[in-house]
Amino acid sequence: MDFRLTEDQRALRRGVRELLGRLFDREALRGAVDEPSLDRGLWRELGDAGFFALRLPEEEGGVGLGLPEAVLVFEEAGRVLLPGPLVATHLAAGAVPGAADGSVVVTSVDEDLVPWLDEADVVLGDVSGAVQVRSVDPLTPLHRVPGTGGATGAAEAALLTAAEQVGSAQATLDTAVSHARARSQFGQVIGGFQAVKHLCAGMLVRTELARAAVWAASVTGDAVEVAGAKLLADDAAVRNARDCLQVHGGMGFTWEADVHLHLKRAWVRAELRMPAARAEEAVAAGL
Amino acid sequence: MDLSCTEEEEAYRARLREWLAATLPGLPERPDPLDWPARRAYDCGWQRRLYDAGYADTHWDASPTQRLVFLEETERAGAPYVGANFVGLLHAGPTIAAEGTDAQRERWLPPVLRGDEVWCQGFSEPDAGSDLASLRTRAVRDGDAYVVTGQKIWTSHAEVADWCELLVRTDPEAPKHQGITWLAMPMDAPGITVRPLRTLAGSTEFAEVFLDEVRVPVANRVGEENDGWRVTMVTLSFERGTAFVGEVVACRRLLGELARTARKNGTWDDPVLRRRLGRLSAEFQALWRLTQANVSEAQATGGVPGAGGSVFKLHYSHARQELYDAAAAVLGPDALDLGREWNLDRLSSLSYTIAAGTSQIQRNIVAERILGLPKGR
């Protein structure tokens, strides 16, 4: 047993972080917020880089990697708040022509919600009666469809969404810590105050716990373990964003700070791909 | 991200399983928890069996992965805990192994492994709890001995221990971290008074230890004079590392029992309670995975577990308290009956967020050592 990343996995993570830093930096994020539309050029570049074809066999033009590697890649996507129906398109690679290379945008119905319906080329699931809602997340347009709240996604969809949540939780932790080390009040940096310090420590604990769960679930593929990982990752992303906002004080409440974008996306991801109630029931059923 | 066991580890697991199945039925009955001499005899008897079968030094010599397998399998089989051997095997032993001289290792380690000698811990004092470095028990050099006077508290197993790993102040003028020395004190030395303390669970799990001019040979000093704080940090990092593996396995088993009881008594039909158990189960599964991550890290970096243990302990201690609260919800009115299982454990669990570094101290450690936030109040 060696739970640590292999050399190849570390290199992959490094590579993806560099790629996303280039393709979708903070300026691109804020630009997308001001004008929310799906960037086809970006989508193609993600396709070229193998984001969607990551787990397709090499003989089918894929990268031939597994779920653990996909989890690392989606963690990085969550960290920079990469927009678009990433999970649906990734899962459609190989099944829907054009999904693998990023020439086609695929979305799906999940929990009676459809993200990016107007921008997608292919929609999986029944969208009759779809009504646009005023999405809480400026970077995830949403439609509601009448239904019974059933899930269409496989465990893999829940796990990749959980990985994005872990990336987001790490990002808000990093942001909170760097703010706490820079911001001074009462003649010292606020990160020296235990009241602030303990918030940050709690954020780290949540992140590490959720990451261990997500990584392990990507190795075992066990459905109950995936449900548990989604539960903890949702918790880490949402609560870390809340604490990050708190550490930022008044600035955290502004549109200009990025923390609200993390919180809102975390809320969306928590509602999709196995929300808490279903995840808790799934884990309980395994007892 | 490799969670599989090597062939060697699987063989070790199979051998251990077989031995446990053959050995556990032959154990004597568990002693009365209030009878300390009987508890000592039981715990030492178990340690002796481990020694004879070649498993005694699992906590020291085995690879972290093997230790993980050992703790997992013994817990699964319902084997006894380390009990009275806790300090010897997991505190004093590793410290002496890392910092002692050859002669000290030879004198103190084999009796711990054989289950012949029991150790207790004399660290905390009435005025030195979380702020351990402010301890004031004095040791004054007199020829080839230190003369020790002061008071220790929260000393588990003090009534039945042969040795005490003792922290004393040898230089009251030095900054507080620099005047401390680590001594091995024989518990039968003149001048030691042990007064048991009753916990809120009703039992006497630890004691106050009063020291009145107790003579401890200089040869019993581990590490240099005034270097005891560094020596101590080695011990504490062991405690925050893999020391809770068995307990995580135990909690996962308890969750299974809770679910069975809840299904029987109808509380399982309450979706709020059912979902609460589901969430706890996810947390303990993740804690198990976090343990594997910490063990992998310790294995790769060669031994002493790092601050990752604090991350683990922070979540574990709170989750375990919530687990017993959930157990009480399953039991309903029976949660008030101390004769029912889990209820005494619920009381005991109240110490988990305090012992071995309070949650507040752990958060300081995590924030300062991992996140790099400045020290401060």
Side-chain angles (χ1 to χ4, degrees):
Chain A
M1 180 200 80
D2 187 353
F3 201 178
R4 296 171 311 144
L5 300 185
T6 63
E7 193 48 58
D8 284 349
Q9 286 170 337
R10 276 202 296 275
L12 172 72
R13 185 165 68 170
R14 220 167 26 241
V16 173
R17 193 170 295 181
E18 279 164 19
L19 176 81
L20 292 181
R22 208 164 56 240
L23 292 182
F24 196 70
D25 60 9
R26 179 159 193 274
E27 205 180 319
L29 169 69
R30 298 309 305 211
V33 170
D34 293 340
E35 237 168 284
S37 68
L38 208 139
D39 182 345
R40 293 283 173 157
L42 172 65
W43 209 254
R44 279 305 292 259
E45 292 208 63
L46 288 172
D48 289 344
F51 193 97
F52 304 118
L54 193 73
R55 291 188 300 138
L56 282 186
E58 287 177 70
E59 52 273 22
E60 289 174 39
V63 188
L65 292 174
L67 205 48
E69 285 76 20
V71 154
L72 295 178
V73 170
F74 274 78
E75 214 177 297
E76 293 306 315
R79 184 196 278 264
V80 297
L81 286 169
L82 195 62
L86 298 163
V87 172
T89 304
H90 174 92
L91 291 174
V96 174
D101 65 8
S103 55
V104 164
V105 176
V106 182
T107 190
S108 63
V109 184
D110 184 67
E111 306 294 339
D112 300 340
L113 290 162
V114 200
W116 296 98
L117 177 60
D118 292 340
E119 307 265 358
D121 305 308
V122 175
V123 185
L124 305 175
D126 181 10
V127 289
S128 44
V131 178
Q132 178 144 33
V133 300
R134 259 184 77 197
S135 174
V136 65
D137 177 15
L139 267 177
T140 311
L142 287 170
H143 281 71
R144 284 278 271 134
V145 294
T148 52
T152 55
E156 287 179 357
L159 186 62
L160 295 175
T161 307
E164 289 184 277
Q165 296 285 56
V166 170
S168 175
Q170 182 71 54
T172 48
L173 165 63
D174 293 344
T175 309
V177 169
S178 61
H179 182 74
R181 292 166 78 162
R183 167 82 174 163
S184 272
Q185 289 286 273
F186 302 101
Q188 69 166 77
V189 295
I190 61 170
F193 294 118
Q194 286 190 343
V196 175
K197 200 182 268 189
H198 287 192
L199 278 181
C200 295
M203 294 169 79
L204 178 79
V205 171
R206 276 182 221 127
T207 311
E208 292 294 324
L209 195 69
R211 180 177 284 127
V214 167
W215 285 11
S218 79
V219 174
T220 66
D222 178 79
V224 170
E225 193 151 20
V226 167
K230 176 67 166 42
L231 199 54
L232 297 180
D234 286 345
D235 208 45
V238 170
R239 292 179 62 193
N240 275 16
R242 295 285 286 264
D243 285 349
C244 177
L245 197 158
Q246 185 69 22
V247 167
H248 277 74
M251 274 309 293
F253 189 62
T254 65
W255 187 263
E256 181 191 334
D258 293 342
V259 56
H260 73 104
L261 301 173
H262 277 283
L263 177 58
K264 291 165 178 174
R265 188 78 65 86
W267 276 339
V268 169
R269 292 196 201 101
E271 264 331 295
L272 294 170
R273 314 290 186 185
M274 180 135 19
R278 195 168 6 261
E280 284 169 344
E281 289 286 10
V283 181
L287 274 172
Chain B
M1 273 190 228
D2 180 9
L3 290 172
S4 62
C5 280
T6 62
E7 246 173 67
E8 200 183 321
E9 285 156 4
E10 283 304 346
Y12 172 79
R13 187 192 295 275
R15 224 168 38 240
L16 176 60
R17 231 178 237 190
E18 200 177 316
W19 179 77
L20 286 167
T23 307
L24 294 183
L27 287 185
E29 250 188 66
R30 300 221 173 200
D32 177 350
L34 297 177
D35 184 347
W36 272 98
R39 276 173 71 170
R40 177 192 156 123
Y42 182 86
D43 295 343
C44 289
W46 168 241
Q47 181 61 26
R48 180 69 201 205
R49 281 179 169 82
L50 288 172
Y51 178 82
D52 290 340
Y55 294 112
D57 60 352
T58 307
H59 295 291
W60 302 348
D61 269 4
S63 72
T65 311
Q66 221 171 44
R67 193 158 62 225
L68 196 72
V69 171
F70 175 84
L71 293 165
E72 193 183 0
E73 290 301 323
T74 46
E75 179 54 46
R76 235 178 229 163
Y81 294 111
V82 285
N85 296 303
F86 184 84
V87 175
L89 283 171
L90 292 162
H91 280 231
T95 304
I96 293 164
E99 300 288 330
T101 63
D102 285 346
Q104 289 173 333
R105 282 192 209 105
E106 211 157 300
R107 166 60 191 90
W108 284 314
L109 300 187
V112 168
L113 292 177
R114 285 196 304 263
D116 288 343
E117 289 184 348
V118 166
W119 286 68
C120 63
Q121 187 186 68
F123 281 13
S124 297
E125 297 179 5
D127 289 326
S130 291
D131 183 13
L132 180 61
S134 69
L135 60 92
R136 288 200 307 232
T137 291
R138 278 284 281 139
V140 180
R141 189 80 176 255
D142 177 28
D144 59 358
Y146 288 103
V147 179
V148 181
T149 299
Q151 185 188 346
K152 294 292 175 178
I153 197 168
W154 319 132
T155 306
S156 303
H157 313 294
E159 300 97 310
V160 293
D162 304 289
W163 294 94
C164 177
E165 52 163 348
L166 188 72
L167 288 184
V168 294
R169 183 153 307 280
T170 33
D171 184 355
E173 307 302 321
K176 65 179 180 179
H177 292 91
Q178 289 164 30
I180 295 171
T181 299
W182 197 105
L183 299 177
M185 177 176 73
M187 286 299 283
D188 58 359
I192 300 176
T193 308
V194 174
R195 194 166 78 194
L197 282 168
R198 199 167 175 210
T199 73
L200 58 75
S203 57
T204 53
E205 289 298 322
F206 39 54
E208 290 177 290
V209 178
F210 299 89
L211 306 169
D212 182 17
E213 300 196 348
V214 181
R215 291 184 73 85
V216 180
V218 172
N220 287 14
R221 186 185 72 212
V222 171
E224 295 302 310
E225 188 170 288
N226 298 327
D227 194 29
W229 184 256
R230 188 190 58 77
V231 173
T232 304
M233 285 302 107
V234 173
T235 319
L236 288 186
S237 61
F238 268 92
E239 187 172 37
R240 286 164 193 162
T242 48
F244 298 98
V245 169
E247 273 122 320
V248 176
V249 179
C251 287
R252 293 169 72 199
R253 195 179 58 197
L254 172 58
L255 271 161
E257 289 168 18
L258 275 181
R260 269 194 298 284
T261 304
R263 285 189 172 104
K264 240 183 270 168
N265 74 12
T267 47
W268 188 257
D269 297 334
D270 172 4
V272 175
L273 181 59
R274 199 170 59 230
R275 286 181 54 183
R276 186 169 161 195
L277 292 176
R279 181 171 286 266
L280 278 166
S281 181
E283 288 181 32
F284 279 99
Q285 175 70 12
L287 282 166
W288 176 245
R289 297 310 191 184
L290 189 62
T291 301
Q292 290 180 314
N294 284 343
V295 166
S296 296
E297 199 62 46
Q299 180 138 298
T301 52
V304 181
S310 291
V311 172
F312 173 87
K313 185 183 181 279
L314 264 173
H315 195 85
Y316 161 75
S317 53
H318 291 270
R320 186 148 189 197
Q321 290 176 350
E322 283 168 28
L323 178 60
Y324 288 115
D325 288 343
V330 169
L331 288 176
D334 286 338
L336 304 179
D337 175 4
L338 289 181
R340 291 288 302 252
E341 63 175 341
W342 307 328
N343 294 329
L344 271 174
D345 294 336
R346 186 188 192 194
L347 293 177
S348 300
S349 77
L350 297 171
S351 72
Y352 297 161
T353 47
I354 298 167
T358 64
S359 294
Q360 287 66 36
I361 290 292
Q362 303 288 356
R363 287 192 191 101
N364 285 352
I365 291 172
V366 166
E368 289 163 16
R369 296 199 203 150
I370 302 182
L371 298 177
L373 291 170
K375 280 182 178 281
R377 303 290 173 254

